[in-house]
Amino acid sequence: MGAPVAAAAALANTRTGCKIVTGALLVFALFAALLTTPLIAIPFALAGHSVATAVERRPALVANSEWAYPLAGDYFKGRGFGFNPVNGCSYCSIDHQGYDMARGCGATVYAAGAGEVITAGSYQGYGNAVRIDHGGGLVTLYGHMQWGSLRAAVGATVAAGAPIGAEGNTGRSFGCHLHFEVQRDGAAIDPQPFMASLGLQLK
């Protein structure tokens, strides 16, 4: 028993032996990391699921009985309406027809106003999108939502502040965000002054 131990000790004192010992320790550390990863990752995944559920159940801020913010709480503003080129994005439109806002991938998206859902699913370059007809030629569009997140179907009637999907990165998108668009008689109009006229200030 003493001879193998002595041989191992002698090998460890050589340059080759040090490399072998270091390699063995790295393999052991990697194996230990693989075994302990689920113990660390599962609680974080469960905690993340709980946070997402809490956000989804939180109601959107409704200014009156007819209109609400499409995202609840604070958000980052992306591109606004009009001339807004994106450096390094060959497929992004130069004349932006909506208002980009982001709370993070998976954040709940709400109907800004009451109306009938006329689109729910893949729509042009908007990816997974919802369009709501509010009557009088007024339509709102919610683009780039996550696949499988839609909570509204074509023909359904939704109320202001009703959850309709989750923020995503589908279609011609360059990162998780909501493309919020307002159309009047088929033409896009600037969402900021429109929402401001309803008592809902966008950034």
Side-chain angles (χ1 to χ4, degrees):
M1 194 70 162
V5 172
L11 184 61
N13 288 329
T14 66
R15 186 171 282 175
T16 303
C18 285
K19 289 180 181 179
I20 292 171
V21 171
T22 302
L25 288 174
L26 287 173
V27 169
F28 177 76
L30 180 62
F31 184 70
L34 288 173
L35 288 177
T36 57
T37 296
L39 299 175
I40 298 168
I42 290 172
F44 278 107
L46 292 175
H49 176 72
S50 299
V51 170
T53 303
V55 170
E56 189 171 286
R57 290 179 180 167
R58 184 170 64 179
L61 177 59
V62 180
N64 53 53
S65 61
E66 296 179 7
W67 292 93
Y69 286 106
L71 290 177
D74 196 18
Y75 61 88
F76 293 100
K77 178 187 175 184
R79 293 198 296 163
F81 186 83
F83 182 74
N84 275 293
V86 179
N87 293 331
C89 182
S90 60
Y91 57 81
C92 296
S93 64
I94 294 174
D95 184 22
H96 194 234
Q97 299 295 296
Y99 180 92
D100 290 347
M101 50 202 310
R103 291 200 72 225
C105 296
T108 303
V109 175
Y110 300 91
E116 181 183 346
V117 177
I118 56 174
T119 300
S122 182
Y123 184 72
Q124 300 176 6
Y126 300 102
N128 200 24
V130 166
R131 291 168 66 230
I132 301 172
D133 186 346
H134 305 283
L138 190 65
V139 172
T140 52
L141 182 149
Y142 312 79
H144 309 307
M145 291 191 282
Q146 288 181 347
W147 296 117
S149 73
L150 299 190
R151 299 175 63 182
V154 172
T157 300
V158 294
I164 57 172
E167 186 182 321
N169 186 28
T170 60
R172 293 181 181 175
S173 174
F174 52 90
C176 276
H177 71 286
L178 168 67
H179 172 89
F180 176 58
E181 189 168 316
V182 181
Q183 301 168 352
R184 191 184 296 280
D185 298 323
I189 62 172
D190 191 340
Q192 278 187 285
F194 172 79
M195 294 295 277
S197 71
L198 300 167
L200 295 160
Q201 297 289 338
L202 298 176
K203 291 183 180 181

